[in-house]
Amino acid sequence: MPAVIESLETLLVDLPTIRPHKLSMATMACQTMVIVRLRTSDGIEGLGEGTTIGGLSYGPESPESIKRNIDAYLAPLLVGQPSSNLNALMARLNRHVRGNPIAKSALETALLDAEGKRRGLSVAELLGGARHTHLPVLWTLASGDTRKDIDEAFQRLDDGRHCDFKLKIGANALEQDVRHVADIKAALGDRASVRVDVNQAWDEATAVRGIAALQEAGIALIEQAIPAREQAGLIRLAERFRVPMLADEAVADARDGLDLVAGGFSGAFALKIAKAGGPRPALELAQLALTAGVGLYGGTMLEGTIGTAASLHAWATLPEMAWGTEMFGPLLLKDDIVAEPLRYHDFGVDLPAGPGLGIALDEDKLTHYSRK
Ligand code: MUC
Ligand code: MG
């Protein structure tokens, strides 16, 4: 008798950040994760995580909607179904529920974790096998204060933690943002690469002025300078500048990737399991990018350890990513809900060893941080 999905539990977990994390559209003092616990008739538990940034400021799913939509719509489609056929299960979810990729990503992760545990394989092995066991990880400087960001960068460099940095800009006047970035790049010199993420804050004319100045300052990569829906504008920016463009909000899945590539986009795509609807659709976008000669970047929604581990298992199956990864989410949080944290060292992180995600919960911490 094949194992069936018996129950799905969802928990809202609030973890404080180590410092305020300032993005163009939100300042985070806490991260809220939706943790999924999927249990099957053969006694296996699969873990998943659905996480977004700043409530509803990043996209149309909030932590509360992710939990509610899993409980009310997605979980009933899974309970009672054989748990091993991911193709059938994810097709069933996609047939009956439009959108909601973060909720679907949490569920696909939990299904992969359960299946890996059942078969004694890691999630990376289920996805075809890991090509790397240590992945590079950058750090985001987003305290909102130039001096503090410089000190933080040197600390991370000296600790061997990170040697690539991403700066969050777009909330301030253009001249102020450009000065902030140029000062940090000048302080770090050749010791570190510096990129920026504008999180859609500029219009195209502002982007043309801003990117010209940032290119001059030696910035390596410009992430999502203009609104997600302005794909034609992003293509024009990619054609215009020497410094490459990274599409983030503009590219959720392979369909978005195809539109950008067909329009003539060159540069890089930020892969995120949350945007795509799970590790497997994120890898479909990766394959499209590889075919089209677009660079890969392992992106985060600032997930905790479960979502970060799921992403790492997916990215580990890919050829070396041109722009590395930003899988630092757990390091931004003051505490964790897992028994063993991920191992960050030598400017990167180790792929956790299986079976499944290779992650176990700390039940006391989970209870402590779960919303009552
Ligand atoms: C984003 O838009 O890239 C990734 C790193 C970070 O600090 O914020 C996220 C979101
Ligand atoms: Mg981004």
Side-chain angles (χ1 to χ4, degrees), residues 26-143:
T27 298
M28 297 165 60
C30 145
Q31 179 57 304
T32 302
M33 307 173 286
V34 181
I35 301 300
V36 170
R37 307 185 75 166
L38 176 149
R39 294 176 183 107
T40 59
S41 55
D42 53 352
I44 289 174
E45 178 176 69
L47 302 175
E49 177 182 340
T51 296
T52 185
I53 292 172
L56 278 171
S57 64
Y58 199 94
E61 286 176 281
S62 69
E64 293 77 13
S65 84
I66 294 166
K67 175 175 166 45
R68 184 76 193 120
N69 289 343
I70 291 176
D71 292 349
Y73 296 97
L74 292 153
L77 292 166
L78 294 180
V79 170
Q81 298 293 314
S83 76
S84 288
N85 189 337
L86 260 79
N87 290 334
L89 291 167
M90 295 313 291
R92 184 172 164 84
L93 295 185
N94 287 324
R95 190 161 63 245
H96 294 287
V97 176
R98 292 190 193 278
N100 289 275
I102 305 180
K104 287 173 183 169
S105 175
L107 295 174
E108 193 183 76
T109 298
L111 289 165
L112 283 165
D113 186 38
E115 188 60 15
K117 286 169 176 163
R118 178 172 298 111
R119 293 212 225 162
L121 297 173
S122 73
V123 169
E125 284 170 318
L126 285 182
L127 297 171
R131 301 168 70 155
H132 319 277
T133 54
H134 182 80
L135 289 96
V137 179
L138 67 61
W139 178 248
T140 298
L141 300 167
S143 74

Side-chain angles (χ1 to χ4, degrees), residues 14-357:
D14 297 302
L15 278 171
T17 57
I18 54 171
R19 57 153 168 73
H21 197 62
K22 296 194 174 175
L23 295 80
S24 69
M25 67 297 184
T27 298
M28 297 165 60
C30 145
Q31 179 57 304
T32 302
M33 307 173 286
V34 181
I35 301 300
V36 170
R37 307 185 75 166
L38 176 149
R39 294 176 183 107
T40 59
S41 55
D42 53 352
I44 289 174
E45 178 176 69
L47 302 175
E49 177 182 340
T51 296
T52 185
I53 292 172
L56 278 171
S57 64
Y58 199 94
E61 286 176 281
S62 69
E64 293 77 13
S65 84
I66 294 166
K67 175 175 166 45
R68 184 76 193 120
N69 289 343
I70 291 176
D71 292 349
Y73 296 97
L74 292 153
L77 292 166
L78 294 180
V79 170
Q81 298 293 314
S83 76
S84 288
N85 189 337
L86 260 79
N87 290 334
L89 291 167
M90 295 313 291
R92 184 172 164 84
L93 295 185
N94 287 324
R95 190 161 63 245
H96 294 287
V97 176
R98 292 190 193 278
N100 289 275
I102 305 180
K104 287 173 183 169
S105 175
L107 295 174
E108 193 183 76
T109 298
L111 289 165
L112 283 165
D113 186 38
E115 188 60 15
K117 286 169 176 163
R118 178 172 298 111
R119 293 212 225 162
L121 297 173
S122 73
V123 169
E125 284 170 318
L126 285 182
L127 297 171
R131 301 168 70 155
H132 319 277
T133 54
H134 182 80
L135 289 96
V137 179
L138 67 61
W139 178 248
T140 298
L141 300 167
S143 74
D145 179 285
T146 309
R147 191 63 248 169
K148 274 194 199 152
D149 281 358
I150 292 171
D151 292 345
E152 199 174 291
F154 278 116
Q155 189 67 56
R156 305 261 157 181
L157 275 167
D158 293 343
D159 291 347
R161 266 287 165 88
H162 310 279
C163 59
D164 300 306
F165 297 99
K166 160 160 146 175
L167 313 188
K168 288 289 190 178
I169 59 171
N172 303 312
L174 180 66
E175 291 66 29
Q176 189 184 337
D177 271 346
V178 167
R179 208 175 320 119
H180 168 76
V181 176
D183 287 352
I184 293 174
K185 176 61 193 160
L188 294 173
D190 292 337
R191 278 194 74 189
S193 82
V194 174
R195 310 140 185 217
V196 298
D197 188 356
V198 193
N199 282 116
Q200 318 185 58
W202 292 340
D203 59 23
E204 196 173 339
T206 309
V208 168
R209 284 194 295 130
I211 295 167
L214 294 170
Q215 182 170 277
E216 192 60 30
I219 300 314
L221 189 67
I222 311 288
E223 181 169 343
Q224 201 63 54
I226 60 173
R229 295 182 69 180
E230 291 172 22
Q231 290 201 340
L234 195 61
I235 293 163
R236 282 191 291 273
L237 294 173
E239 281 166 349
R240 182 172 186 138
F241 290 102
R242 196 175 65 245
V243 57
M245 299 299 131
L246 175 66
D248 183 7
E249 288 91 327
V251 63
D253 56 16
R255 174 70 227 193
D256 294 331
L258 179 62
D259 289 344
L260 279 167
V261 166
F265 178 80
S266 67
F269 290 161
L271 311 172
K272 294 185 183 176
I273 63 171
K275 288 190 300 184
R280 298 185 320 148
L283 290 176
E284 285 170 19
L285 171 62
Q287 293 306 331
L288 179 122
L290 287 167
T291 308
V294 169
L296 297 180
Y297 179 55
T300 181
M301 288 294 257
L302 302 174
E303 287 102 343
T305 298
I306 294 168
T308 300
S311 307
L312 289 171
H313 281 282
W315 313 157
T317 66
L318 294 168
E320 201 166 310
M321 289 193 267
W323 296 95
T325 85
E326 57 181 14
M327 307 316 302
F328 66 84
L331 298 176
L332 189 64
L333 304 175
K334 271 198 186 136
D335 205 351
D336 210 331
I337 55 160
V338 302
E340 281 284 325
L342 293 172
R343 272 178 42 78
Y344 288 89
H345 64 96
D346 294 301
F347 306 108
V349 65
D350 290 341
L351 179 68
L357 294 170

